[in-house]
Amino acid sequence: QSVLTQPPSVSGAPGQRVTISCTGSSSNIGAGYDVQWYQQFPGTAPKLLINANNNRPSGVPDRFSGSKSGTSASLAITGLQAEDEADYYCQSYDSSLSGSVFGGGTKLTVL
Amino acid sequence: QVQLQESGPGLVKPSETLSLICTVSAYSISSGYSWGWIRQPPGKGLDWIGNFHHGGSPYYSPSLKSRVTISLDTSKNQFSLNLTSVTAADTAVYYCARTPRDRGSNWFDSWGQGILVTVSS
């Protein structure tokens, strides 16, 4: 059971917009700690996609955006492309556990 | 561009100690940043193991704290992971990664390629 809760899967057609939610609690997201998002393709290491809730590292397309409100955060992907099909993980810091925590991951399928 | 590379045995026997090394290139681990380990059991999600910032003290996931040690070797620009008394539940791909801060809000901005460690007799 992950500390951060994500839907196991989401899907969308090419060109559409999809969102992936990440729900935490008062000891992590709700406490004001930043949320990060990672993209992982099969057999490869995760790649930082969004840090500090809504910042895109250099090289990340602006089709990816992050937001945070209360104890939850969301990753939005607009103009969905076949190459976006991957697993996505949210991550934050938890004060009760005194360390980083991850969501269980969401598999994005492009129809 | 910093690069990280994990190395170590791919097979460990139950009850023994899992030992991995992460070699960092193009950045000195004593110059800043924090250095961490994350693992991913086959077909499952990511689990944070622990972090160590040069000049600070290591901190670990509560679920692994009694069995894990992370160390820095600045002379070799490496950091290591030791996990004792392993069981089949410790079978996973182990990643080393870099974070910009010691604690609190943090993100893993550079990752190694990962190494699969299987616990089996």
Side-chain angles (χ1 to χ4, degrees), chain A residues 33-34 36 38 40 44-46 48 51 89 91 93 97-100 102 104, chain B residues 38 40 44-46 48 59 62 95 101 104-109 111-112:
Chain A
Y33 294 108
D34 290 337
Q36 281 63 239
Y38 301 85
Q40 185 181 35
T44 69
L48 181 63
N51 69 284
Y89 293 90
Q91 174 253 323
Y93 180 87
L97 300 174
S98 297
S100 291
F102 286 93
Chain B
I38 301 103
Q40 184 172 34
K44 296 188 178 181
L46 301 166
W48 172 74
Y59 59 108
Y95 296 101
R101 301 170 181 167
S105 288
N106 224 339
W107 51 89
F108 301 92
D109 65 357
W111 296 65

PDB file of all heavy atoms in Angstrom, chain A residues 33-34 36 38 40 44-46 48 51 89 91 93 97-100 102 104, chain B residues 38 40 44-46 48 59 62 95 101 104-109 111-112:
ATOM      1  N   TYR A  33       4.636  19.972   1.158  1.00  0.00           N
ATOM      2  CA  TYR A  33       5.823  19.445   0.478  1.00  0.00           C
ATOM      3  C   TYR A  33       5.554  19.340  -1.029  1.00  0.00           C
ATOM      4  O   TYR A  33       4.451  19.037  -1.464  1.00  0.00           O
ATOM      5  CB  TYR A  33       6.215  18.087   1.047  1.00  0.00           C
ATOM      6  CG  TYR A  33       6.687  18.175   2.485  1.00  0.00           C
ATOM      7  CD1 TYR A  33       5.911  17.701   3.539  1.00  0.00           C
ATOM      8  CD2 TYR A  33       7.924  18.764   2.783  1.00  0.00           C
ATOM      9  CE1 TYR A  33       6.336  17.811   4.852  1.00  0.00           C
ATOM     10  CE2 TYR A  33       8.357  18.859   4.098  1.00  0.00           C
ATOM     11  CZ  TYR A  33       7.559  18.391   5.126  1.00  0.00           C
ATOM     12  OH  TYR A  33       7.985  18.506   6.420  1.00  0.00           O
ATOM     13  N   ASP A  34       6.603  19.589  -1.788  1.00  0.00           N
ATOM     14  CA  ASP A  34       6.487  19.564  -3.239  1.00  0.00           C
ATOM     15  C   ASP A  34       6.144  18.176  -3.755  1.00  0.00           C
ATOM     16  O   ASP A  34       6.478  17.153  -3.144  1.00  0.00           O
ATOM     17  CB  ASP A  34       7.812  20.000  -3.884  1.00  0.00           C
ATOM     18  CG  ASP A  34       8.094  21.478  -3.688  1.00  0.00           C
ATOM     19  OD1 ASP A  34       7.136  22.246  -3.467  1.00  0.00           O
ATOM     20  OD2 ASP A  34       9.279  21.866  -3.774  1.00  0.00           O
ATOM     21  N   GLN A  36       6.509  15.709  -7.176  1.00  0.00           N
ATOM     22  CA  GLN A  36       7.253  15.462  -8.399  1.00  0.00           C
ATOM     23  C   GLN A  36       6.537  14.363  -9.204  1.00  0.00           C
ATOM     24  O   GLN A  36       5.793  13.554  -8.645  1.00  0.00           O
ATOM     25  CB  GLN A  36       8.666  14.961  -8.062  1.00  0.00           C
ATOM     26  CG  GLN A  36       9.642  16.030  -7.652  1.00  0.00           C
ATOM     27  CD  GLN A  36       9.223  16.738  -6.365  1.00  0.00           C
ATOM     28  OE1 GLN A  36       9.037  17.948  -6.354  1.00  0.00           O
ATOM     29  NE2 GLN A  36       9.112  16.014  -5.256  1.00  0.00           N
ATOM     30  N   TYR A  38       7.372  11.410 -12.378  1.00  0.00           N
ATOM     31  CA  TYR A  38       8.388  10.696 -13.152  1.00  0.00           C
ATOM     32  C   TYR A  38       7.701   9.867 -14.231  1.00  0.00           C
ATOM     33  O   TYR A  38       6.602   9.340 -14.031  1.00  0.00           O
ATOM     34  CB  TYR A  38       9.215   9.771 -12.256  1.00  0.00           C
ATOM     35  CG  TYR A  38       9.927  10.497 -11.143  1.00  0.00           C
ATOM     36  CD1 TYR A  38       9.277  10.772  -9.950  1.00  0.00           C
ATOM     37  CD2 TYR A  38      11.240  10.944 -11.301  1.00  0.00           C
ATOM     38  CE1 TYR A  38       9.911  11.461  -8.924  1.00  0.00           C
ATOM     39  CE2 TYR A  38      11.882  11.627 -10.286  1.00  0.00           C
ATOM     40  CZ  TYR A  38      11.216  11.886  -9.098  1.00  0.00           C
ATOM     41  OH  TYR A  38      11.843  12.582  -8.096  1.00  0.00           O
ATOM     42  N   GLN A  40       8.321   6.521 -16.716  1.00  0.00           N
ATOM     43  CA  GLN A  40       9.164   5.336 -16.833  1.00  0.00           C
ATOM     44  C   GLN A  40       8.680   4.427 -17.957  1.00  0.00           C
ATOM     45  O   GLN A  40       7.531   4.002 -17.964  1.00  0.00           O
ATOM     46  CB  GLN A  40       9.189   4.548 -15.519  1.00  0.00           C
ATOM     47  CG  GLN A  40      10.146   3.368 -15.560  1.00  0.00           C
ATOM     48  CD  GLN A  40      10.160   2.559 -14.269  1.00  0.00           C
ATOM     49  OE1 GLN A  40       9.138   2.405 -13.615  1.00  0.00           O
ATOM     50  NE2 GLN A  40      11.335   2.041 -13.908  1.00  0.00           N
ATOM     51  N   THR A  44      13.558   0.634 -18.311  1.00  0.00           N
ATOM     52  CA  THR A  44      14.430   1.806 -18.180  1.00  0.00           C
ATOM     53  C   THR A  44      14.216   2.489 -16.842  1.00  0.00           C
ATOM     54  O   THR A  44      13.221   2.247 -16.158  1.00  0.00           O
ATOM     55  CB  THR A  44      14.196   2.824 -19.303  1.00  0.00           C
ATOM     56  OG1 THR A  44      12.905   3.411 -19.132  1.00  0.00           O
ATOM     57  CG2 THR A  44      14.278   2.161 -20.676  1.00  0.00           C
ATOM     58  N   ALA A  45      15.156   3.359 -16.483  1.00  0.00           N
ATOM     59  CA  ALA A  45      15.047   4.097 -15.238  1.00  0.00           C
ATOM     60  C   ALA A  45      13.997   5.195 -15.355  1.00  0.00           C
ATOM     61  O   ALA A  45      13.750   5.724 -16.443  1.00  0.00           O
ATOM     62  CB  ALA A  45      16.398   4.718 -14.882  1.00  0.00           C
ATOM     63  N   PRO A  46      13.380   5.558 -14.250  1.00  0.00           N
ATOM     64  CA  PRO A  46      12.446   6.700 -14.279  1.00  0.00           C
ATOM     65  C   PRO A  46      13.171   7.971 -14.697  1.00  0.00           C
ATOM     66  O   PRO A  46      14.369   8.134 -14.470  1.00  0.00           O
ATOM     67  CB  PRO A  46      11.971   6.792 -12.822  1.00  0.00           C
ATOM     68  CG  PRO A  46      12.192   5.437 -12.254  1.00  0.00           C
ATOM     69  CD  PRO A  46      13.436   4.932 -12.924  1.00  0.00           C
ATOM     70  N   LEU A  48      12.759  12.259 -14.483  1.00  0.00           N
ATOM     71  CA  LEU A  48      12.053  13.369 -13.849  1.00  0.00           C
ATOM     72  C   LEU A  48      11.296  14.171 -14.903  1.00  0.00           C
ATOM     73  O   LEU A  48      11.894  14.687 -15.849  1.00  0.00           O
ATOM     74  CB  LEU A  48      13.044  14.267 -13.107  1.00  0.00           C
ATOM     75  CG  LEU A  48      12.453  15.467 -12.373  1.00  0.00           C
ATOM     76  CD1 LEU A  48      11.514  15.025 -11.255  1.00  0.00           C
ATOM     77  CD2 LEU A  48      13.571  16.353 -11.828  1.00  0.00           C
ATOM     78  N   ASN A  51       9.058  18.757 -11.402  1.00  0.00           N
ATOM     79  CA  ASN A  51       9.492  18.888 -10.019  1.00  0.00           C
ATOM     80  C   ASN A  51       8.893  20.159  -9.407  1.00  0.00           C
ATOM     81  O   ASN A  51       8.443  21.052 -10.135  1.00  0.00           O
ATOM     82  CB  ASN A  51      11.020  18.894  -9.910  1.00  0.00           C
ATOM     83  CG  ASN A  51      11.668  20.149 -10.484  1.00  0.00           C
ATOM     84  OD1 ASN A  51      11.756  20.294 -11.698  1.00  0.00           O
ATOM     85  ND2 ASN A  51      12.079  21.049  -9.616  1.00  0.00           N
ATOM     86  N   TYR A  89       4.758   8.083 -12.121  1.00  0.00           N
ATOM     87  CA  TYR A  89       4.802   8.018 -10.665  1.00  0.00           C
ATOM     88  C   TYR A  89       4.860   9.416 -10.063  1.00  0.00           C
ATOM     89  O   TYR A  89       5.605  10.271 -10.540  1.00  0.00           O
ATOM     90  CB  TYR A  89       6.042   7.252 -10.190  1.00  0.00           C
ATOM     91  CG  TYR A  89       6.037   5.787 -10.534  1.00  0.00           C
ATOM     92  CD1 TYR A  89       6.575   5.340 -11.737  1.00  0.00           C
ATOM     93  CD2 TYR A  89       5.506   4.849  -9.660  1.00  0.00           C
ATOM     94  CE1 TYR A  89       6.572   3.990 -12.071  1.00  0.00           C
ATOM     95  CE2 TYR A  89       5.507   3.486  -9.971  1.00  0.00           C
ATOM     96  CZ  TYR A  89       6.038   3.073 -11.186  1.00  0.00           C
ATOM     97  OH  TYR A  89       6.043   1.734 -11.484  1.00  0.00           O
ATOM     98  N   GLN A  91       5.698  11.624  -6.483  1.00  0.00           N
ATOM     99  CA  GLN A  91       6.624  11.487  -5.354  1.00  0.00           C
ATOM    100  C   GLN A  91       6.587  12.760  -4.510  1.00  0.00           C
ATOM    101  O   GLN A  91       6.450  13.865  -5.055  1.00  0.00           O
ATOM    102  CB  GLN A  91       8.041  11.227  -5.874  1.00  0.00           C
ATOM    103  CG  GLN A  91       9.135  11.201  -4.804  1.00  0.00           C
ATOM    104  CD  GLN A  91      10.014  12.436  -4.840  1.00  0.00           C
ATOM    105  OE1 GLN A  91      10.331  12.967  -5.891  1.00  0.00           O
ATOM    106  NE2 GLN A  91      10.393  12.920  -3.668  1.00  0.00           N
ATOM    107  N   TYR A  93       7.562  14.224  -0.109  1.00  0.00           N
ATOM    108  CA  TYR A  93       8.236  13.965   1.162  1.00  0.00           C
ATOM    109  C   TYR A  93       7.168  13.809   2.238  1.00  0.00           C
ATOM    110  O   TYR A  93       6.148  14.519   2.223  1.00  0.00           O
ATOM    111  CB  TYR A  93       9.171  15.129   1.504  1.00  0.00           C
ATOM    112  CG  TYR A  93       9.920  14.963   2.811  1.00  0.00           C
ATOM    113  CD1 TYR A  93      11.137  14.286   2.864  1.00  0.00           C
ATOM    114  CD2 TYR A  93       9.409  15.489   4.005  1.00  0.00           C
ATOM    115  CE1 TYR A  93      11.829  14.137   4.050  1.00  0.00           C
ATOM    116  CE2 TYR A  93      10.098  15.341   5.203  1.00  0.00           C
ATOM    117  CZ  TYR A  93      11.308  14.663   5.215  1.00  0.00           C
ATOM    118  OH  TYR A  93      11.983  14.515   6.407  1.00  0.00           O
ATOM    119  N   LEU A  97       7.178   9.900   8.096  1.00  0.00           N
ATOM    120  CA  LEU A  97       8.141   8.860   7.741  1.00  0.00           C
ATOM    121  C   LEU A  97       9.552   9.426   7.599  1.00  0.00           C
ATOM    122  O   LEU A  97      10.516   8.684   7.470  1.00  0.00           O
ATOM    123  CB  LEU A  97       7.726   8.191   6.427  1.00  0.00           C
ATOM    124  CG  LEU A  97       6.353   7.520   6.436  1.00  0.00           C
ATOM    125  CD1 LEU A  97       5.979   7.028   5.040  1.00  0.00           C
ATOM    126  CD2 LEU A  97       6.339   6.366   7.424  1.00  0.00           C
ATOM    127  N   SER A  98       9.635  10.761   7.586  1.00  0.00           N
ATOM    128  CA  SER A  98      10.933  11.434   7.443  1.00  0.00           C
ATOM    129  C   SER A  98      11.692  10.966   6.211  1.00  0.00           C
ATOM    130  O   SER A  98      12.902  10.664   6.275  1.00  0.00           O
ATOM    131  CB  SER A  98      11.808  11.209   8.699  1.00  0.00           C
ATOM    132  OG  SER A  98      11.209  11.774   9.833  1.00  0.00           O
ATOM    133  N   GLY A  99      10.998  10.902   5.103  1.00  0.00           N
ATOM    134  CA  GLY A  99      11.656  10.494   3.866  1.00  0.00           C
ATOM    135  C   GLY A  99      10.751  10.638   2.672  1.00  0.00           C
ATOM    136  O   GLY A  99       9.606  11.063   2.774  1.00  0.00           O
ATOM    137  N   SER A 100      11.299  10.289   1.520  1.00  0.00           N
ATOM    138  CA  SER A 100      10.545  10.376   0.276  1.00  0.00           C
ATOM    139  C   SER A 100       9.519   9.251   0.182  1.00  0.00           C
ATOM    140  O   SER A 100       9.751   8.142   0.665  1.00  0.00           O
ATOM    141  CB  SER A 100      11.503  10.291  -0.917  1.00  0.00           C
ATOM    142  OG  SER A 100      12.318  11.436  -1.006  1.00  0.00           O
ATOM    143  N   PHE A 102       6.545   7.499  -2.708  1.00  0.00           N
ATOM    144  CA  PHE A 102       6.083   7.431  -4.085  1.00  0.00           C
ATOM    145  C   PHE A 102       4.641   6.946  -4.143  1.00  0.00           C
ATOM    146  O   PHE A 102       4.162   6.261  -3.237  1.00  0.00           O
ATOM    147  CB  PHE A 102       6.937   6.428  -4.882  1.00  0.00           C
ATOM    148  CG  PHE A 102       8.316   6.912  -5.230  1.00  0.00           C
ATOM    149  CD1 PHE A 102       9.391   6.633  -4.398  1.00  0.00           C
ATOM    150  CD2 PHE A 102       8.540   7.630  -6.388  1.00  0.00           C
ATOM    151  CE1 PHE A 102      10.673   7.061  -4.714  1.00  0.00           C
ATOM    152  CE2 PHE A 102       9.821   8.065  -6.718  1.00  0.00           C
ATOM    153  CZ  PHE A 102      10.874   7.788  -5.874  1.00  0.00           C
ATOM    154  N   GLY A 104       1.827   4.581  -6.246  1.00  0.00           N
ATOM    155  CA  GLY A 104       1.930   3.222  -6.759  1.00  0.00           C
ATOM    156  C   GLY A 104       2.144   3.137  -8.264  1.00  0.00           C
ATOM    157  O   GLY A 104       2.427   2.067  -8.791  1.00  0.00           O
TER     158      GLY A 104
ATOM    159  N   ILE B  38      16.833   3.798  -4.530  1.00  0.00           N
ATOM    160  CA  ILE B  38      15.419   3.478  -4.708  1.00  0.00           C
ATOM    161  C   ILE B  38      15.363   2.081  -5.309  1.00  0.00           C
ATOM    162  O   ILE B  38      16.241   1.709  -6.098  1.00  0.00           O
ATOM    163  CB  ILE B  38      14.737   4.472  -5.690  1.00  0.00           C
ATOM    164  CG1 ILE B  38      14.857   5.906  -5.183  1.00  0.00           C
ATOM    165  CG2 ILE B  38      13.281   4.107  -5.920  1.00  0.00           C
ATOM    166  CD1 ILE B  38      15.910   6.718  -5.890  1.00  0.00           C
ATOM    167  N   GLN B  40      12.754  -1.198  -7.047  1.00  0.00           N
ATOM    168  CA  GLN B  40      11.500  -1.481  -7.725  1.00  0.00           C
ATOM    169  C   GLN B  40      11.366  -2.986  -7.906  1.00  0.00           C
ATOM    170  O   GLN B  40      12.002  -3.565  -8.795  1.00  0.00           O
ATOM    171  CB  GLN B  40      11.458  -0.761  -9.079  1.00  0.00           C
ATOM    172  CG  GLN B  40      10.145  -0.915  -9.822  1.00  0.00           C
ATOM    173  CD  GLN B  40      10.087  -0.035 -11.063  1.00  0.00           C
ATOM    174  OE1 GLN B  40      11.082   0.202 -11.740  1.00  0.00           O
ATOM    175  NE2 GLN B  40       8.901   0.474 -11.360  1.00  0.00           N
ATOM    176  N   LYS B  44       6.294  -3.987 -10.023  1.00  0.00           N
ATOM    177  CA  LYS B  44       5.693  -3.146  -8.987  1.00  0.00           C
ATOM    178  C   LYS B  44       6.235  -1.709  -9.056  1.00  0.00           C
ATOM    179  O   LYS B  44       6.971  -1.356  -9.969  1.00  0.00           O
ATOM    180  CB  LYS B  44       5.945  -3.757  -7.616  1.00  0.00           C
ATOM    181  CG  LYS B  44       5.273  -5.116  -7.439  1.00  0.00           C
ATOM    182  CD  LYS B  44       5.380  -5.615  -6.017  1.00  0.00           C
ATOM    183  CE  LYS B  44       4.660  -6.946  -5.852  1.00  0.00           C
ATOM    184  NZ  LYS B  44       4.737  -7.452  -4.451  1.00  0.00           N
ATOM    185  N   GLY B  45       5.843  -0.909  -8.061  1.00  0.00           N
ATOM    186  CA  GLY B  45       6.208   0.502  -8.056  1.00  0.00           C
ATOM    187  C   GLY B  45       7.548   0.776  -7.381  1.00  0.00           C
ATOM    188  O   GLY B  45       8.279  -0.136  -6.996  1.00  0.00           O
ATOM    189  N   LEU B  46       7.841   2.064  -7.245  1.00  0.00           N
ATOM    190  CA  LEU B  46       9.121   2.519  -6.713  1.00  0.00           C
ATOM    191  C   LEU B  46       9.070   2.647  -5.190  1.00  0.00           C
ATOM    192  O   LEU B  46       8.079   3.136  -4.633  1.00  0.00           O
ATOM    193  CB  LEU B  46       9.471   3.882  -7.323  1.00  0.00           C
ATOM    194  CG  LEU B  46       9.583   3.915  -8.845  1.00  0.00           C
ATOM    195  CD1 LEU B  46       9.596   5.347  -9.352  1.00  0.00           C
ATOM    196  CD2 LEU B  46      10.833   3.177  -9.299  1.00  0.00           C
ATOM    197  N   TRP B  48      11.448   4.135  -1.985  1.00  0.00           N
ATOM    198  CA  TRP B  48      12.636   4.845  -1.545  1.00  0.00           C
ATOM    199  C   TRP B  48      13.313   4.078  -0.416  1.00  0.00           C
ATOM    200  O   TRP B  48      12.645   3.607   0.512  1.00  0.00           O
ATOM    201  CB  TRP B  48      12.251   6.244  -1.080  1.00  0.00           C
ATOM    202  CG  TRP B  48      13.344   7.006  -0.435  1.00  0.00           C
ATOM    203  CD1 TRP B  48      14.422   7.580  -1.042  1.00  0.00           C
ATOM    204  CD2 TRP B  48      13.489   7.293   0.954  1.00  0.00           C
ATOM    205  NE1 TRP B  48      15.233   8.208  -0.115  1.00  0.00           N
ATOM    206  CE2 TRP B  48      14.671   8.050   1.122  1.00  0.00           C
ATOM    207  CE3 TRP B  48      12.726   6.998   2.087  1.00  0.00           C
ATOM    208  CZ2 TRP B  48      15.111   8.504   2.358  1.00  0.00           C
ATOM    209  CZ3 TRP B  48      13.153   7.438   3.326  1.00  0.00           C
ATOM    210  CH2 TRP B  48      14.337   8.180   3.449  1.00  0.00           C
ATOM    211  N   TYR B  59      19.765   8.955   6.134  1.00  0.00           N
ATOM    212  CA  TYR B  59      18.447   8.681   6.683  1.00  0.00           C
ATOM    213  C   TYR B  59      17.745   7.684   5.784  1.00  0.00           C
ATOM    214  O   TYR B  59      17.977   7.670   4.568  1.00  0.00           O
ATOM    215  CB  TYR B  59      17.613   9.951   6.887  1.00  0.00           C
ATOM    216  CG  TYR B  59      17.346  10.772   5.656  1.00  0.00           C
ATOM    217  CD1 TYR B  59      16.078  10.823   5.080  1.00  0.00           C
ATOM    218  CD2 TYR B  59      18.348  11.553   5.074  1.00  0.00           C
ATOM    219  CE1 TYR B  59      15.818  11.594   3.972  1.00  0.00           C
ATOM    220  CE2 TYR B  59      18.094  12.325   3.956  1.00  0.00           C
ATOM    221  CZ  TYR B  59      16.832  12.342   3.412  1.00  0.00           C
ATOM    222  OH  TYR B  59      16.579  13.108   2.307  1.00  0.00           O
ATOM    223  N   PRO B  62      11.733   3.948   7.114  1.00  0.00           N
ATOM    224  CA  PRO B  62      11.485   3.251   8.392  1.00  0.00           C
ATOM    225  C   PRO B  62      11.341   1.744   8.233  1.00  0.00           C
ATOM    226  O   PRO B  62      11.735   0.986   9.121  1.00  0.00           O
ATOM    227  CB  PRO B  62      10.188   3.885   8.886  1.00  0.00           C
ATOM    228  CG  PRO B  62      10.144   5.236   8.258  1.00  0.00           C
ATOM    229  CD  PRO B  62      10.782   5.060   6.918  1.00  0.00           C
ATOM    230  N   TYR B  95      18.047   1.203  -7.997  1.00  0.00           N
ATOM    231  CA  TYR B  95      18.527   2.403  -8.676  1.00  0.00           C
ATOM    232  C   TYR B  95      19.273   3.294  -7.690  1.00  0.00           C
ATOM    233  O   TYR B  95      18.832   3.461  -6.545  1.00  0.00           O
ATOM    234  CB  TYR B  95      17.364   3.216  -9.235  1.00  0.00           C
ATOM    235  CG  TYR B  95      16.546   2.556 -10.319  1.00  0.00           C
ATOM    236  CD1 TYR B  95      15.312   1.968 -10.036  1.00  0.00           C
ATOM    237  CD2 TYR B  95      16.981   2.567 -11.651  1.00  0.00           C
ATOM    238  CE1 TYR B  95      14.549   1.393 -11.033  1.00  0.00           C
ATOM    239  CE2 TYR B  95      16.217   1.982 -12.656  1.00  0.00           C
ATOM    240  CZ  TYR B  95      15.006   1.399 -12.333  1.00  0.00           C
ATOM    241  OH  TYR B  95      14.241   0.828 -13.330  1.00  0.00           O
ATOM    242  N   ARG B 101      18.620  18.344  -2.595  1.00  0.00           N
ATOM    243  CA  ARG B 101      18.588  18.773  -1.208  1.00  0.00           C
ATOM    244  C   ARG B 101      18.820  17.600  -0.270  1.00  0.00           C
ATOM    245  O   ARG B 101      18.640  16.441  -0.647  1.00  0.00           O
ATOM    246  CB  ARG B 101      17.236  19.427  -0.894  1.00  0.00           C
ATOM    247  CG  ARG B 101      16.924  20.623  -1.768  1.00  0.00           C
ATOM    248  CD  ARG B 101      15.488  21.070  -1.574  1.00  0.00           C
ATOM    249  NE  ARG B 101      15.157  22.208  -2.413  1.00  0.00           N
ATOM    250  CZ  ARG B 101      13.918  22.640  -2.616  1.00  0.00           C
ATOM    251  NH1 ARG B 101      12.913  22.029  -2.032  1.00  0.00           N
ATOM    252  NH2 ARG B 101      13.691  23.686  -3.394  1.00  0.00           N
ATOM    253  N   GLY B 104      13.534  17.059   3.242  1.00  0.00           N
ATOM    254  CA  GLY B 104      12.378  17.867   2.888  1.00  0.00           C
ATOM    255  C   GLY B 104      12.020  17.704   1.429  1.00  0.00           C
ATOM    256  O   GLY B 104      12.314  16.681   0.808  1.00  0.00           O
ATOM    257  N   SER B 105      11.353  18.697   0.891  1.00  0.00           N
ATOM    258  CA  SER B 105      10.946  18.653  -0.520  1.00  0.00           C
ATOM    259  C   SER B 105      12.153  18.389  -1.404  1.00  0.00           C
ATOM    260  O   SER B 105      13.140  19.112  -1.362  1.00  0.00           O
ATOM    261  CB  SER B 105      10.292  19.974  -0.916  1.00  0.00           C
ATOM    262  OG  SER B 105       9.011  20.092  -0.332  1.00  0.00           O
ATOM    263  N   ASN B 106      12.061  17.331  -2.170  1.00  0.00           N
ATOM    264  CA  ASN B 106      13.232  16.857  -2.893  1.00  0.00           C
ATOM    265  C   ASN B 106      12.806  16.117  -4.137  1.00  0.00           C
ATOM    266  O   ASN B 106      11.675  15.635  -4.214  1.00  0.00           O
ATOM    267  CB  ASN B 106      14.032  15.909  -1.985  1.00  0.00           C
ATOM    268  CG  ASN B 106      15.517  16.170  -2.029  1.00  0.00           C
ATOM    269  OD1 ASN B 106      16.022  16.765  -2.975  1.00  0.00           O
ATOM    270  ND2 ASN B 106      16.234  15.728  -1.014  1.00  0.00           N
ATOM    271  N   TRP B 107      13.706  16.004  -5.080  1.00  0.00           N
ATOM    272  CA  TRP B 107      13.402  15.233  -6.284  1.00  0.00           C
ATOM    273  C   TRP B 107      14.660  14.549  -6.780  1.00  0.00           C
ATOM    274  O   TRP B 107      15.770  14.996  -6.564  1.00  0.00           O
ATOM    275  CB  TRP B 107      12.812  16.122  -7.386  1.00  0.00           C
ATOM    276  CG  TRP B 107      13.603  17.361  -7.675  1.00  0.00           C
ATOM    277  CD1 TRP B 107      14.636  17.518  -8.566  1.00  0.00           C
ATOM    278  CD2 TRP B 107      13.418  18.641  -7.062  1.00  0.00           C
ATOM    279  NE1 TRP B 107      15.093  18.801  -8.537  1.00  0.00           N
ATOM    280  CE2 TRP B 107      14.373  19.519  -7.636  1.00  0.00           C
ATOM    281  CE3 TRP B 107      12.540  19.131  -6.090  1.00  0.00           C
ATOM    282  CZ2 TRP B 107      14.457  20.856  -7.259  1.00  0.00           C
ATOM    283  CZ3 TRP B 107      12.632  20.458  -5.722  1.00  0.00           C
ATOM    284  CH2 TRP B 107      13.576  21.298  -6.309  1.00  0.00           C
ATOM    285  N   PHE B 108      14.461  13.450  -7.466  1.00  0.00           N
ATOM    286  CA  PHE B 108      15.551  12.640  -8.006  1.00  0.00           C
ATOM    287  C   PHE B 108      15.776  13.072  -9.454  1.00  0.00           C
ATOM    288  O   PHE B 108      15.023  12.683 -10.345  1.00  0.00           O
ATOM    289  CB  PHE B 108      15.200  11.162  -7.905  1.00  0.00           C
ATOM    290  CG  PHE B 108      14.947  10.718  -6.488  1.00  0.00           C
ATOM    291  CD1 PHE B 108      13.675  10.724  -5.952  1.00  0.00           C
ATOM    292  CD2 PHE B 108      16.003  10.316  -5.680  1.00  0.00           C
ATOM    293  CE1 PHE B 108      13.444  10.334  -4.638  1.00  0.00           C
ATOM    294  CE2 PHE B 108      15.785   9.914  -4.363  1.00  0.00           C
ATOM    295  CZ  PHE B 108      14.498   9.927  -3.841  1.00  0.00           C
ATOM    296  N   ASP B 109      16.813  13.885  -9.670  1.00  0.00           N
ATOM    297  CA  ASP B 109      16.976  14.480 -10.995  1.00  0.00           C
ATOM    298  C   ASP B 109      17.889  13.690 -11.924  1.00  0.00           C
ATOM    299  O   ASP B 109      17.867  13.908 -13.129  1.00  0.00           O
ATOM    300  CB  ASP B 109      17.443  15.937 -10.885  1.00  0.00           C
ATOM    301  CG  ASP B 109      18.842  16.066 -10.284  1.00  0.00           C
ATOM    302  OD1 ASP B 109      19.447  15.035  -9.899  1.00  0.00           O
ATOM    303  OD2 ASP B 109      19.328  17.216 -10.197  1.00  0.00           O
ATOM    304  N   TRP B 111      19.398   9.564 -12.510  1.00  0.00           N
ATOM    305  CA  TRP B 111      19.266   8.171 -12.086  1.00  0.00           C
ATOM    306  C   TRP B 111      20.311   7.297 -12.782  1.00  0.00           C
ATOM    307  O   TRP B 111      20.704   7.558 -13.922  1.00  0.00           O
ATOM    308  CB  TRP B 111      17.889   7.621 -12.465  1.00  0.00           C
ATOM    309  CG  TRP B 111      16.724   8.265 -11.807  1.00  0.00           C
ATOM    310  CD1 TRP B 111      16.304   9.559 -11.942  1.00  0.00           C
ATOM    311  CD2 TRP B 111      15.795   7.640 -10.917  1.00  0.00           C
ATOM    312  NE1 TRP B 111      15.170   9.772 -11.188  1.00  0.00           N
ATOM    313  CE2 TRP B 111      14.836   8.611 -10.555  1.00  0.00           C
ATOM    314  CE3 TRP B 111      15.658   6.349 -10.398  1.00  0.00           C
ATOM    315  CZ2 TRP B 111      13.770   8.344  -9.684  1.00  0.00           C
ATOM    316  CZ3 TRP B 111      14.607   6.076  -9.538  1.00  0.00           C
ATOM    317  CH2 TRP B 111      13.679   7.069  -9.185  1.00  0.00           C
ATOM    318  N   GLY B 112      20.721   6.225 -12.107  1.00  0.00           N
ATOM    319  CA  GLY B 112      21.483   5.194 -12.765  1.00  0.00           C
ATOM    320  C   GLY B 112      20.540   4.340 -13.608  1.00  0.00           C
ATOM    321  O   GLY B 112      19.316   4.502 -13.546  1.00  0.00           O
TER     322      GLY B 112
END
